[in-house]
Structure formats: structure tokens, C-alpha cells
Amino acid sequence: MEQLIRGWKGEIVIVRYDREADAWIFIAIYSTRLGPAAGGTRMRTYPSAKAALQDAMLLAKGMAYKYAVPNMPWGGGKCVIAVPETLDKKARLGLLRRYGALVKQLGGMFYTGPDMGTCSEDMDIIAETGAPYIFACTPKAGGSGSSGPYTAIGVFAGIKAACEHLHGDGSLGNKRVLVQGLGNVGGPLVELLLNSGARVLFTEVDESLVKQYRSKFGLEYVPPGAVYDTECDVFSPCAIGGILTPETASKIKCKAIVGGANNQLSSPDVARIMEKRSVLYAPDYVVNVGGAMAILGMETQGWSKERAEEEVALAVRMALKKVLELAREQGITTEEAASRVAEKRLED
Ligand code: PPY
């Protein structure tokens, strides 16, 4: 872990071992140059505490770049809570409350909200001890609720912008879009896509969601093992990160990749494989900023829900167009183009 921290370009790592729940809490703050750090709290099991720290550091950097591209006044941070395989409800509640107290102690150095493994109901618990630094509590508790639908609006705007870049026309009528993961983002995204006339395919590991979407919408199901062999216009990864590896990028059969998952590339050079194969890759943090943008806008700027939806769609569309044009002009990958835009903001 010492080596990891030495090698990281971020500002601060906060570590707390929670003995009662046998859990590790890592808060990574990559940069506060544009504002105080804000980012979700991810809760899951990891193979090791080190792997959890590494995830927090990578995700915090992603948040810094995510805010920088559309010029949001926030810094990049993320919390990862590495929990044991079994954590009963009571132990989990205690952990959330102690975590809230830690966030409060930080006194505004780090603001948080939901991420993979946590939800708005969890934020209500964390806010008991952590307010006023907790975003996206439930509407019942005075918060703005799940950010997933707003992330989906941004991804949807990104899909249209990518199609426009490729075909000069952003309409989705009859376009085949393969959505990976029907969770908080993929679920609402499917509905937006269906309403726009797209032909939606999906892949999902949760059997009950597979059944639900097959019967509710009659969608075409792609088994997880066939995802990278299935022809489609747009592939939209909305589940775990790291799915674009040298292997999957070399065979994927789509024209564009635009999705809501964080850290989709297993390493930045995977973007070059896709570029060589003329697969348009929309950098993840450029198109998945909608959740953060909407929540922060509604809870700190007084935006209405409608205003948040408009801001997200416009911001993602403009940012992705800018990145795609820069990549085309400079002959660099879209990932490099997005990094340049973000790094320039962070340096200015
Ligand atoms: C993300 O976009 O990955 C987030 O972490 C979103 C977010 C940002 C700020 C507060 C809560 C969640």
C-alpha cells in the first residue's frame, strides 16, 4: 500500500479500519483545485485491502477528470468501503453510521453520495451522522434520490452525439444498441432508447432482471459470453469497469461504445486498439457525468429536476462533440483527447 500511495498523483488518502464490521474505509482525494472533493461511496468485497485502495485512487482520479471536462467547480474524490463477504444488516447499519461520522469530521473536505453497492436509503443512514456532507438522500429525507436516471439521460445524449459524429444524423431509429447491465443506469437507459425507436439488446448477469426485461419489454437477450461477438451499432456498458481489454477490444462488433460504467478501459492504451478498428469509444467519464451533475446542481444550485435533465443532456452532448473533434483533428485517441481537455482545466 505504501508503494501505491507513493506512486499516486492525488492529494490525500484517508484510511480507517472499522474493527466492529471488519471493514476498510478508504477515502481518496485526487484533486481539490477546482473545488471541494465529491464522489460516491462504493461498498463491496475486494480480494485485499490493497485492491480496495487502488480502486479508490483510480476512481478519485476519474472523478477529478469527470468534473473538469464540463467545468464543474468540484474536486475528484471517492470512497471505497471494503466489506467482508458476510455483513449482516445490523453490522452494516453501524458501519454506515460510523462512516458518516468520519465524513463529518473531515468538515467539508469530502462530500459523498451513492455509488456501486450503496443507495439513497444508505445515504439517509450516513447523513444521520454525516450531514451536511451527504448528497442524494431519499426524497423522503429531503434529498434528490437516485442519480441513475440522470446518468442515463447523459449516456443517452452521448449515444445520439456519437451517432451524429459517425453518420451526420443522431437519430436512433432502428439502431441496434446493446446495453450491458440493467441496474440504476442501464434500466432507465433502456426506456429512453426504446422511446427513441432504437432496437435494444441487453446482457445481464442477474437472472431475475433478465426475466423481468424479457417479459416486460420483449427485449433480445444476449448471454454474457456472447457480448463481444454480437453485432450492434452501439455497445453501452453500464455495469462493472475494466470490460474493455486488449482481448475484448480486438473483437467487439459495434461501431461505437458509449456507456455509463466507470473505468471501462482495462488500461488507457486499449483505446488505441479500438481506434485502429474504427470503433468510436466515448470516454466513460465524459458521458457518465450526468448523475453527479444533476445531484450537485439540484442540491447546491437549486436546479429543478427539469433543469437538471436539460443541463445534463446539453453538457454531455457538447463535451463529447468537443472530445471527438479534438481526437479527429489531432489524430489521437478519444481517451487522450478527453485527458487533454481535463488536464488543461486542472492546470489552468
Ligand atoms: C460518479 O459519477 O461516479 C459519482 O461518484 C457520482 C457522485 C458525485 C457526487 C456525489 C455523489 C455521487
Side-chain angles (χ1 to χ4, degrees), residues 294-340:
I295 297 296
L296 296 171
M298 290 188 290
E299 298 194 12
T300 71
Q301 307 293 310
W303 290 357
S304 66
K305 194 174 174 302
E306 293 70 28
R307 166 105 191 256
E309 293 175 357
E310 284 165 21
E311 295 274 357
V312 165
L314 187 67
V316 172
R317 180 185 150 79
M318 299 309 289
L320 183 57
K321 276 183 75 161
K322 180 175 174 170
V323 164
L324 296 179
E325 277 160 20
L326 182 67
R328 196 183 256 171
E329 258 170 50
Q330 305 277 316
I332 54 179
T333 67
T334 53
E335 183 71 5
E336 285 164 335
S339 290
R340 282 195 198 173

mmCIF file of all heavy atoms in Angstrom, residues 294-340:
data_model
loop_
_atom_site.group_PDB
_atom_site.id
_atom_site.type_symbol
_atom_site.label_atom_id
_atom_site.label_comp_id
_atom_site.label_asym_id
_atom_site.label_seq_id
_atom_site.Cartn_x
_atom_site.Cartn_y
_atom_site.Cartn_z
ATOM 1 N N ALA A 294 -26.335 16.346 -12.021
ATOM 2 C CA ALA A 294 -27.717 16.611 -11.629
ATOM 3 C C ALA A 294 -27.843 16.738 -10.107
ATOM 4 O O ALA A 294 -28.476 17.673 -9.602
ATOM 5 C CB ALA A 294 -28.628 15.500 -12.151
ATOM 6 N N ILE A 295 -27.234 15.789 -9.395
ATOM 7 C CA ILE A 295 -27.350 15.803 -7.932
ATOM 8 C C ILE A 295 -26.723 17.079 -7.358
ATOM 9 O O ILE A 295 -27.322 17.770 -6.523
ATOM 10 C CB ILE A 295 -26.653 14.549 -7.321
ATOM 11 C CG1 ILE A 295 -27.330 13.259 -7.784
ATOM 12 C CG2 ILE A 295 -26.587 14.630 -5.800
ATOM 13 C CD1 ILE A 295 -28.756 13.064 -7.355
ATOM 14 N N LEU A 296 -25.513 17.389 -7.808
ATOM 15 C CA LEU A 296 -24.836 18.571 -7.279
ATOM 16 C C LEU A 296 -25.585 19.834 -7.689
ATOM 17 O O LEU A 296 -25.722 20.774 -6.896
ATOM 18 C CB LEU A 296 -23.378 18.604 -7.753
ATOM 19 C CG LEU A 296 -22.515 17.439 -7.224
ATOM 20 C CD1 LEU A 296 -21.146 17.397 -7.907
ATOM 21 C CD2 LEU A 296 -22.345 17.531 -5.710
ATOM 22 N N GLY A 297 -26.103 19.860 -8.910
ATOM 23 C CA GLY A 297 -26.859 21.030 -9.375
ATOM 24 C C GLY A 297 -28.135 21.222 -8.563
ATOM 25 O O GLY A 297 -28.455 22.333 -8.130
ATOM 26 N N MET A 298 -28.861 20.134 -8.332
ATOM 27 C CA MET A 298 -30.139 20.252 -7.608
ATOM 28 C C MET A 298 -29.906 20.567 -6.131
ATOM 29 O O MET A 298 -30.653 21.332 -5.534
ATOM 30 C CB MET A 298 -30.956 18.953 -7.752
ATOM 31 C CG MET A 298 -31.493 18.750 -9.162
ATOM 32 S SD MET A 298 -32.637 17.362 -9.309
ATOM 33 C CE MET A 298 -31.552 15.977 -9.091
ATOM 34 N N GLU A 299 -28.854 19.969 -5.554
ATOM 35 C CA GLU A 299 -28.682 20.116 -4.104
ATOM 36 C C GLU A 299 -27.802 21.301 -3.698
ATOM 37 O O GLU A 299 -27.806 21.684 -2.540
ATOM 38 C CB GLU A 299 -28.178 18.795 -3.503
ATOM 39 C CG GLU A 299 -29.214 17.677 -3.737
ATOM 40 C CD GLU A 299 -28.982 16.413 -2.907
ATOM 41 O OE1 GLU A 299 -28.171 16.435 -1.970
ATOM 42 O OE2 GLU A 299 -29.646 15.405 -3.216
ATOM 43 N N THR A 300 -27.041 21.852 -4.647
ATOM 44 C CA THR A 300 -26.237 23.036 -4.257
ATOM 45 C C THR A 300 -26.565 24.278 -5.075
ATOM 46 O O THR A 300 -26.185 25.375 -4.695
ATOM 47 C CB THR A 300 -24.703 22.773 -4.352
ATOM 48 O OG1 THR A 300 -24.326 22.694 -5.735
ATOM 49 C CG2 THR A 300 -24.298 21.484 -3.641
ATOM 50 N N GLN A 301 -27.251 24.108 -6.227
ATOM 51 C CA GLN A 301 -27.550 25.280 -7.069
ATOM 52 C C GLN A 301 -29.051 25.534 -7.169
ATOM 53 O O GLN A 301 -29.459 26.450 -7.876
ATOM 54 C CB GLN A 301 -27.014 25.082 -8.494
ATOM 55 C CG GLN A 301 -25.549 24.712 -8.585
ATOM 56 C CD GLN A 301 -24.653 25.846 -8.136
ATOM 57 O OE1 GLN A 301 -24.809 26.979 -8.586
ATOM 58 N NE2 GLN A 301 -23.756 25.573 -7.212
ATOM 59 N N GLY A 302 -29.829 24.708 -6.538
ATOM 60 C CA GLY A 302 -31.279 24.902 -6.586
ATOM 61 C C GLY A 302 -31.913 24.567 -7.926
ATOM 62 O O GLY A 302 -33.016 25.041 -8.225
ATOM 63 N N TRP A 303 -31.242 23.765 -8.754
ATOM 64 C CA TRP A 303 -31.847 23.380 -10.030
ATOM 65 C C TRP A 303 -33.108 22.549 -9.773
ATOM 66 O O TRP A 303 -33.151 21.743 -8.842
ATOM 67 C CB TRP A 303 -30.920 22.493 -10.846
ATOM 68 C CG TRP A 303 -29.715 23.160 -11.402
ATOM 69 C CD1 TRP A 303 -29.374 24.481 -11.310
ATOM 70 C CD2 TRP A 303 -28.646 22.519 -12.121
ATOM 71 N NE1 TRP A 303 -28.172 24.695 -11.933
ATOM 72 C CE2 TRP A 303 -27.703 23.518 -12.434
ATOM 73 C CE3 TRP A 303 -28.393 21.210 -12.532
ATOM 74 C CZ2 TRP A 303 -26.527 23.236 -13.148
ATOM 75 C CZ3 TRP A 303 -27.226 20.930 -13.246
ATOM 76 C CH2 TRP A 303 -26.316 21.931 -13.549
ATOM 77 N N SER A 304 -34.104 22.716 -10.664
ATOM 78 C CA SER A 304 -35.257 21.815 -10.655
ATOM 79 C C SER A 304 -34.840 20.526 -11.358
ATOM 80 O O SER A 304 -33.797 20.481 -12.029
ATOM 81 C CB SER A 304 -36.417 22.453 -11.414
ATOM 82 O OG SER A 304 -36.062 22.568 -12.783
ATOM 83 N N LYS A 305 -35.690 19.506 -11.239
ATOM 84 C CA LYS A 305 -35.448 18.237 -11.916
ATOM 85 C C LYS A 305 -35.342 18.448 -13.438
ATOM 86 O O LYS A 305 -34.460 17.918 -14.098
ATOM 87 C CB LYS A 305 -36.659 17.339 -11.591
ATOM 88 C CG LYS A 305 -36.518 15.913 -11.896
ATOM 89 C CD LYS A 305 -37.755 15.170 -11.354
ATOM 90 C CE LYS A 305 -37.761 13.718 -11.758
ATOM 91 N NZ LYS A 305 -37.722 13.461 -13.197
ATOM 92 N N GLU A 306 -36.256 19.288 -13.966
ATOM 93 C CA GLU A 306 -36.279 19.551 -15.414
ATOM 94 C C GLU A 306 -34.997 20.252 -15.852
ATOM 95 O O GLU A 306 -34.404 19.932 -16.873
ATOM 96 C CB GLU A 306 -37.494 20.416 -15.800
ATOM 97 C CG GLU A 306 -38.843 19.733 -15.624
ATOM 98 C CD GLU A 306 -39.254 19.515 -14.153
ATOM 99 O OE1 GLU A 306 -38.822 20.318 -13.276
ATOM 100 O OE2 GLU A 306 -39.983 18.541 -13.883
ATOM 101 N N ARG A 307 -34.600 21.236 -15.033
ATOM 102 C CA ARG A 307 -33.366 21.965 -15.352
ATOM 103 C C ARG A 307 -32.174 21.003 -15.347
ATOM 104 O O ARG A 307 -31.317 21.051 -16.243
ATOM 105 C CB ARG A 307 -33.158 23.083 -14.311
ATOM 106 C CG ARG A 307 -31.778 23.711 -14.305
ATOM 107 C CD ARG A 307 -31.761 25.094 -14.929
ATOM 108 N NE ARG A 307 -30.392 25.544 -15.136
ATOM 109 C CZ ARG A 307 -29.775 26.439 -14.385
ATOM 110 N NH1 ARG A 307 -30.406 27.006 -13.375
ATOM 111 N NH2 ARG A 307 -28.531 26.805 -14.660
ATOM 112 N N ALA A 308 -32.143 20.121 -14.353
ATOM 113 C CA ALA A 308 -31.032 19.158 -14.258
ATOM 114 C C ALA A 308 -30.991 18.279 -15.507
ATOM 115 O O ALA A 308 -29.920 18.047 -16.082
ATOM 116 C CB ALA A 308 -31.187 18.308 -12.998
ATOM 117 N N GLU A 309 -32.156 17.817 -15.943
ATOM 118 C CA GLU A 309 -32.202 16.946 -17.128
ATOM 119 C C GLU A 309 -31.680 17.680 -18.366
ATOM 120 O O GLU A 309 -30.917 17.130 -19.156
ATOM 121 C CB GLU A 309 -33.637 16.449 -17.367
ATOM 122 C CG GLU A 309 -34.100 15.502 -16.265
ATOM 123 C CD GLU A 309 -35.560 15.071 -16.380
ATOM 124 O OE1 GLU A 309 -36.274 15.555 -17.302
ATOM 125 O OE2 GLU A 309 -35.986 14.252 -15.559
ATOM 126 N N GLU A 310 -32.083 18.936 -18.506
ATOM 127 C CA GLU A 310 -31.631 19.720 -19.661
ATOM 128 C C GLU A 310 -30.132 19.979 -19.604
ATOM 129 O O GLU A 310 -29.429 19.855 -20.601
ATOM 130 C CB GLU A 310 -32.351 21.077 -19.683
ATOM 131 C CG GLU A 310 -33.778 20.999 -20.170
ATOM 132 C CD GLU A 310 -34.560 22.289 -19.834
ATOM 133 O OE1 GLU A 310 -33.916 23.347 -19.607
ATOM 134 O OE2 GLU A 310 -35.790 22.203 -19.777
ATOM 135 N N GLU A 311 -29.657 20.367 -18.412
ATOM 136 C CA GLU A 311 -28.222 20.676 -18.265
ATOM 137 C C GLU A 311 -27.375 19.451 -18.599
ATOM 138 O O GLU A 311 -26.351 19.558 -19.264
ATOM 139 C CB GLU A 311 -27.911 21.130 -16.828
ATOM 140 C CG GLU A 311 -28.572 22.441 -16.422
ATOM 141 C CD GLU A 311 -27.770 23.684 -16.814
ATOM 142 O OE1 GLU A 311 -26.659 23.548 -17.347
ATOM 143 O OE2 GLU A 311 -28.292 24.800 -16.577
ATOM 144 N N VAL A 312 -27.805 18.289 -18.093
ATOM 145 C CA VAL A 312 -27.035 17.057 -18.309
ATOM 146 C C VAL A 312 -26.978 16.717 -19.802
ATOM 147 O O VAL A 312 -25.895 16.462 -20.351
ATOM 148 C CB VAL A 312 -27.646 15.882 -17.509
ATOM 149 C CG1 VAL A 312 -27.111 14.545 -17.987
ATOM 150 C CG2 VAL A 312 -27.394 16.064 -16.021
ATOM 151 N N ALA A 313 -28.135 16.731 -20.456
ATOM 152 C CA ALA A 313 -28.162 16.350 -21.873
ATOM 153 C C ALA A 313 -27.288 17.294 -22.697
ATOM 154 O O ALA A 313 -26.505 16.866 -23.555
ATOM 155 C CB ALA A 313 -29.603 16.351 -22.393
ATOM 156 N N LEU A 314 -27.386 18.576 -22.405
ATOM 157 C CA LEU A 314 -26.607 19.564 -23.161
ATOM 158 C C LEU A 314 -25.108 19.430 -22.876
ATOM 159 O O LEU A 314 -24.281 19.430 -23.788
ATOM 160 C CB LEU A 314 -27.099 20.971 -22.788
ATOM 161 C CG LEU A 314 -26.497 22.097 -23.618
ATOM 162 C CD1 LEU A 314 -26.989 21.998 -25.063
ATOM 163 C CD2 LEU A 314 -26.855 23.466 -23.033
ATOM 164 N N ALA A 315 -24.771 19.299 -21.598
ATOM 165 C CA ALA A 315 -23.353 19.248 -21.218
ATOM 166 C C ALA A 315 -22.671 18.022 -21.826
ATOM 167 O O ALA A 315 -21.553 18.115 -22.340
ATOM 168 C CB ALA A 315 -23.215 19.230 -19.693
ATOM 169 N N VAL A 316 -23.331 16.867 -21.774
ATOM 170 C CA VAL A 316 -22.702 15.653 -22.306
ATOM 171 C C VAL A 316 -22.558 15.765 -23.820
ATOM 172 O O VAL A 316 -21.513 15.438 -24.392
ATOM 173 C CB VAL A 316 -23.494 14.388 -21.917
ATOM 174 C CG1 VAL A 316 -22.950 13.157 -22.643
ATOM 175 C CG2 VAL A 316 -23.434 14.162 -20.413
ATOM 176 N N ARG A 317 -23.585 16.266 -24.465
ATOM 177 C CA ARG A 317 -23.536 16.407 -25.917
ATOM 178 C C ARG A 317 -22.369 17.307 -26.341
ATOM 179 O O ARG A 317 -21.574 16.966 -27.204
ATOM 180 C CB ARG A 317 -24.871 16.995 -26.379
ATOM 181 C CG ARG A 317 -24.998 17.207 -27.831
ATOM 182 C CD ARG A 317 -26.336 17.912 -28.146
ATOM 183 N NE ARG A 317 -26.176 18.729 -29.335
ATOM 184 C CZ ARG A 317 -26.200 18.212 -30.546
ATOM 185 N NH1 ARG A 317 -26.413 16.940 -30.718
ATOM 186 N NH2 ARG A 317 -25.994 18.979 -31.598
ATOM 187 N N MET A 318 -22.260 18.479 -25.691
ATOM 188 C CA MET A 318 -21.204 19.434 -26.050
ATOM 189 C C MET A 318 -19.826 18.861 -25.751
ATOM 190 O O MET A 318 -18.904 18.988 -26.546
ATOM 191 C CB MET A 318 -21.368 20.749 -25.260
ATOM 192 C CG MET A 318 -22.664 21.490 -25.491
ATOM 193 S SD MET A 318 -23.026 21.755 -27.230
ATOM 194 C CE MET A 318 -21.776 22.974 -27.607
ATOM 195 N N ALA A 319 -19.695 18.243 -24.570
ATOM 196 C CA ALA A 319 -18.384 17.730 -24.167
ATOM 197 C C ALA A 319 -17.933 16.603 -25.091
ATOM 198 O O ALA A 319 -16.773 16.567 -25.515
ATOM 199 C CB ALA A 319 -18.434 17.248 -22.715
ATOM 200 N N LEU A 320 -18.847 15.700 -25.416
ATOM 201 C CA LEU A 320 -18.440 14.572 -26.262
ATOM 202 C C LEU A 320 -18.088 15.063 -27.672
ATOM 203 O O LEU A 320 -17.100 14.626 -28.257
ATOM 204 C CB LEU A 320 -19.529 13.490 -26.310
ATOM 205 C CG LEU A 320 -19.140 12.244 -27.114
ATOM 206 C CD1 LEU A 320 -17.861 11.596 -26.578
ATOM 207 C CD2 LEU A 320 -20.270 11.214 -27.120
ATOM 208 N N LYS A 321 -18.870 16.005 -28.195
ATOM 209 C CA LYS A 321 -18.559 16.549 -29.525
ATOM 210 C C LYS A 321 -17.157 17.154 -29.547
ATOM 211 O O LYS A 321 -16.376 16.938 -30.460
ATOM 212 C CB LYS A 321 -19.583 17.638 -29.892
ATOM 213 C CG LYS A 321 -20.853 17.075 -30.497
ATOM 214 C CD LYS A 321 -21.816 18.148 -30.921
ATOM 215 C CE LYS A 321 -21.349 18.824 -32.209
ATOM 216 N NZ LYS A 321 -22.476 19.530 -32.873
ATOM 217 N N LYS A 322 -16.862 17.912 -28.488
ATOM 218 C CA LYS A 322 -15.569 18.570 -28.387
ATOM 219 C C LYS A 322 -14.425 17.547 -28.371
ATOM 220 O O LYS A 322 -13.428 17.679 -29.084
ATOM 221 C CB LYS A 322 -15.547 19.416 -27.107
ATOM 222 C CG LYS A 322 -14.265 20.163 -26.873
ATOM 223 C CD LYS A 322 -14.404 21.061 -25.662
ATOM 224 C CE LYS A 322 -13.052 21.693 -25.339
ATOM 225 N NZ LYS A 322 -13.164 22.731 -24.338
ATOM 226 N N VAL A 323 -14.603 16.516 -27.565
ATOM 227 C CA VAL A 323 -13.576 15.470 -27.437
ATOM 228 C C VAL A 323 -13.402 14.710 -28.756
ATOM 229 O O VAL A 323 -12.287 14.449 -29.204
ATOM 230 C CB VAL A 323 -13.946 14.517 -26.277
ATOM 231 C CG1 VAL A 323 -13.169 13.220 -26.335
ATOM 232 C CG2 VAL A 323 -13.728 15.217 -24.940
ATOM 233 N N LEU A 324 -14.517 14.366 -29.410
ATOM 234 C CA LEU A 324 -14.427 13.608 -30.665
ATOM 235 C C LEU A 324 -13.777 14.443 -31.757
ATOM 236 O O LEU A 324 -12.964 13.950 -32.548
ATOM 237 C CB LEU A 324 -15.823 13.139 -31.105
ATOM 238 C CG LEU A 324 -16.523 12.139 -30.165
ATOM 239 C CD1 LEU A 324 -17.912 11.770 -30.696
ATOM 240 C CD2 LEU A 324 -15.683 10.878 -29.958
ATOM 241 N N GLU A 325 -14.101 15.732 -31.779
ATOM 242 C CA GLU A 325 -13.493 16.604 -32.794
ATOM 243 C C GLU A 325 -12.004 16.795 -32.540
ATOM 244 O O GLU A 325 -11.194 16.756 -33.464
ATOM 245 C CB GLU A 325 -14.230 17.951 -32.847
ATOM 246 C CG GLU A 325 -15.485 17.842 -33.715
ATOM 247 C CD GLU A 325 -16.517 18.934 -33.441
ATOM 248 O OE1 GLU A 325 -16.146 19.988 -32.879
ATOM 249 O OE2 GLU A 325 -17.695 18.714 -33.797
ATOM 250 N N LEU A 326 -11.633 16.962 -31.282
ATOM 251 C CA LEU A 326 -10.216 17.125 -30.936
ATOM 252 C C LEU A 326 -9.426 15.873 -31.322
ATOM 253 O O LEU A 326 -8.324 15.957 -31.887
ATOM 254 C CB LEU A 326 -10.071 17.404 -29.425
ATOM 255 C CG LEU A 326 -8.659 17.651 -28.926
ATOM 256 C CD1 LEU A 326 -8.096 18.955 -29.490
ATOM 257 C CD2 LEU A 326 -8.632 17.716 -27.385
ATOM 258 N N ALA A 327 -9.999 14.711 -31.052
ATOM 259 C CA ALA A 327 -9.317 13.455 -31.387
ATOM 260 C C ALA A 327 -9.123 13.354 -32.899
ATOM 261 O O ALA A 327 -8.052 12.982 -33.380
ATOM 262 C CB ALA A 327 -10.126 12.273 -30.862
ATOM 263 N N ARG A 328 -10.145 13.708 -33.652
ATOM 264 C CA ARG A 328 -10.092 13.620 -35.110
ATOM 265 C C ARG A 328 -9.027 14.590 -35.645
ATOM 266 O O ARG A 328 -8.185 14.212 -36.457
ATOM 267 C CB ARG A 328 -11.477 13.981 -35.663
ATOM 268 C CG ARG A 328 -11.689 13.583 -37.107
ATOM 269 C CD ARG A 328 -13.060 14.044 -37.574
ATOM 270 N NE ARG A 328 -14.045 12.961 -37.661
ATOM 271 C CZ ARG A 328 -15.353 13.169 -37.878
ATOM 272 N NH1 ARG A 328 -15.837 14.405 -37.956
ATOM 273 N NH2 ARG A 328 -16.175 12.154 -37.970
ATOM 274 N N GLU A 329 -9.072 15.837 -35.149
ATOM 275 C CA GLU A 329 -8.127 16.877 -35.591
ATOM 276 C C GLU A 329 -6.678 16.511 -35.310
ATOM 277 O O GLU A 329 -5.807 16.698 -36.138
ATOM 278 C CB GLU A 329 -8.381 18.128 -34.748
ATOM 279 C CG GLU A 329 -9.163 19.233 -35.395
ATOM 280 C CD GLU A 329 -9.501 20.227 -34.283
ATOM 281 O OE1 GLU A 329 -8.588 20.641 -33.512
ATOM 282 O OE2 GLU A 329 -10.683 20.542 -34.178
ATOM 283 N N GLN A 330 -6.434 16.001 -34.085
ATOM 284 C CA GLN A 330 -5.059 15.769 -33.645
ATOM 285 C C GLN A 330 -4.565 14.362 -33.945
ATOM 286 O O GLN A 330 -3.410 14.052 -33.682
ATOM 287 C CB GLN A 330 -4.964 15.984 -32.123
ATOM 288 C CG GLN A 330 -5.452 17.336 -31.652
ATOM 289 C CD GLN A 330 -4.371 18.401 -31.792
ATOM 290 O OE1 GLN A 330 -3.224 18.187 -31.453
ATOM 291 N NE2 GLN A 330 -4.740 19.547 -32.339
ATOM 292 N N GLY A 331 -5.449 13.514 -34.434
ATOM 293 C CA GLY A 331 -5.046 12.137 -34.696
ATOM 294 C C GLY A 331 -4.676 11.385 -33.428
ATOM 295 O O GLY A 331 -3.761 10.566 -33.426
ATOM 296 N N ILE A 332 -5.382 11.672 -32.351
ATOM 297 C CA ILE A 332 -5.130 10.982 -31.075
ATOM 298 C C ILE A 332 -6.377 10.177 -30.706
ATOM 299 O O ILE A 332 -7.430 10.352 -31.325
ATOM 300 C CB ILE A 332 -4.783 11.983 -29.940
ATOM 301 C CG1 ILE A 332 -5.869 13.054 -29.815
ATOM 302 C CG2 ILE A 332 -3.413 12.594 -30.176
ATOM 303 C CD1 ILE A 332 -5.629 14.070 -28.694
ATOM 304 N N THR A 333 -6.247 9.316 -29.714
ATOM 305 C CA THR A 333 -7.433 8.552 -29.319
ATOM 306 C C THR A 333 -8.390 9.482 -28.565
ATOM 307 O O THR A 333 -7.989 10.528 -28.043
ATOM 308 C CB THR A 333 -7.088 7.364 -28.400
ATOM 309 O OG1 THR A 333 -6.614 7.876 -27.150
ATOM 310 C CG2 THR A 333 -6.047 6.446 -29.015
ATOM 311 N N THR A 334 -9.642 9.049 -28.503
ATOM 312 C CA THR A 334 -10.644 9.857 -27.800
ATOM 313 C C THR A 334 -10.301 9.942 -26.307
ATOM 314 O O THR A 334 -10.574 10.942 -25.659
ATOM 315 C CB THR A 334 -12.031 9.222 -27.965
ATOM 316 O OG1 THR A 334 -11.935 7.845 -27.563
ATOM 317 C CG2 THR A 334 -12.493 9.305 -29.412
ATOM 318 N N GLU A 335 -9.677 8.887 -25.782
ATOM 319 C CA GLU A 335 -9.274 8.871 -24.374
ATOM 320 C C GLU A 335 -8.191 9.933 -24.131
ATOM 321 O O GLU A 335 -8.233 10.661 -23.149
ATOM 322 C CB GLU A 335 -8.763 7.469 -24.006
ATOM 323 C CG GLU A 335 -8.370 7.271 -22.564
ATOM 324 C CD GLU A 335 -9.542 7.237 -21.586
ATOM 325 O OE1 GLU A 335 -10.715 7.265 -22.015
ATOM 326 O OE2 GLU A 335 -9.268 7.200 -20.379
ATOM 327 N N GLU A 336 -7.232 10.011 -25.067
ATOM 328 C CA GLU A 336 -6.191 11.040 -24.946
ATOM 329 C C GLU A 336 -6.797 12.431 -25.075
ATOM 330 O O GLU A 336 -6.421 13.357 -24.344
ATOM 331 C CB GLU A 336 -5.116 10.845 -26.028
ATOM 332 C CG GLU A 336 -4.191 9.678 -25.743
ATOM 333 C CD GLU A 336 -3.382 9.226 -26.977
ATOM 334 O OE1 GLU A 336 -3.827 9.464 -28.130
ATOM 335 O OE2 GLU A 336 -2.332 8.632 -26.765
ATOM 336 N N ALA A 337 -7.744 12.576 -25.994
ATOM 337 C CA ALA A 337 -8.367 13.886 -26.196
ATOM 338 C C ALA A 337 -9.104 14.328 -24.924
ATOM 339 O O ALA A 337 -8.987 15.478 -24.490
ATOM 340 C CB ALA A 337 -9.331 13.832 -27.384
ATOM 341 N N ALA A 338 -9.827 13.399 -24.306
ATOM 342 C CA ALA A 338 -10.560 13.744 -23.081
ATOM 343 C C ALA A 338 -9.586 14.104 -21.962
ATOM 344 O O ALA A 338 -9.800 15.079 -21.231
ATOM 345 C CB ALA A 338 -11.446 12.577 -22.651
ATOM 346 N N SER A 339 -8.494 13.340 -21.844
ATOM 347 C CA SER A 339 -7.490 13.647 -20.825
ATOM 348 C C SER A 339 -6.917 15.036 -21.038
ATOM 349 O O SER A 339 -6.706 15.778 -20.091
ATOM 350 C CB SER A 339 -6.307 12.670 -20.892
ATOM 351 O OG SER A 339 -6.709 11.425 -20.469
ATOM 352 N N ARG A 340 -6.650 15.377 -22.300
ATOM 353 C CA ARG A 340 -6.085 16.704 -22.575
ATOM 354 C C ARG A 340 -7.028 17.808 -22.137
ATOM 355 O O ARG A 340 -6.604 18.792 -21.542
ATOM 356 C CB ARG A 340 -5.770 16.870 -24.063
ATOM 357 C CG ARG A 340 -4.499 16.178 -24.423
ATOM 358 C CD ARG A 340 -3.999 16.635 -25.771
ATOM 359 N NE ARG A 340 -3.040 15.630 -26.237
ATOM 360 C CZ ARG A 340 -2.493 15.627 -27.442
ATOM 361 N NH1 ARG A 340 -2.807 16.579 -28.310
ATOM 362 N NH2 ARG A 340 -1.634 14.703 -27.777
#
